[in-house]
Amino acid sequence: MRAICRIGDVEPGGVTRVEVDGCPALAVFNIDGTIYVTDDKCTHAQASLSEGSVEGDVVECPFHGGKFHIPTGEPRARPVKKQLRTYEVRIVGGEVMIDDEAGG
Ligand code: FES
């Protein structure tokens, strides 16, 4: 597990982009106080999902309007077809920790 940011860095309903050594850029989402972490790059092309819009537990890509279910990374709307990588998250002392070995 490694720390990637603090829980207070992401507003409820919001998303922020985080870069840490050795990982692809990450998107950190706060859905009603629960933190989820996914890859930031859309699986369709090069968009940054942290620049997309979040509605409930779904993020809409800013480029072509593809959508992903944030907790599972499942595609929810075309043109995305490929699952988004998600990471196991643990909150320790206000730090957001991810398991970047076992993401799926
Ligand atoms: S880059 Fe995300 S839907 Fe095309």
Side-chain angles (χ1 to χ4, degrees):
M1 303 292 284
R2 69 155 88 188
I4 58 165
C5 65
R6 296 201 52 88
I7 194 167
D9 293 343
V10 196
E11 301 278 309
V15 54
T16 195
R17 185 175 199 266
V18 171
E19 291 188 54
V20 287
D21 287 347
C23 275
L26 302 168
V28 183
F29 297 88
N30 180 335
I31 302 177
D32 294 333
T34 302
I35 300 291
Y36 296 92
V37 179
T38 71
D39 279 348
D40 185 46
K41 184 170 156 294
C42 182
T43 62
H44 178 242
Q46 301 298 320
S48 175
L49 292 172
S50 56
E51 292 169 14
S53 51
V54 178
E55 206 167 295
D57 60 3
V58 170
V59 60
E60 179 174 337
C61 178
F63 274 18
H64 312 109
K67 294 182 184 177
F68 296 94
H69 182 230
I70 295 163
T72 61
E74 282 174 12
R76 282 288 168 87
R78 288 164 155 276
V80 295
K81 292 186 182 146
K82 196 171 162 222
Q83 180 135 1
L84 184 66
R85 183 176 177 182
T86 58
Y87 296 82
E88 188 183 321
V89 174
R90 216 171 289 166
I91 308 298
V92 181
E95 302 268 2
V96 177
M97 317 272 297
I98 62 162
D99 185 351
D100 55 346
E101 302 294 318

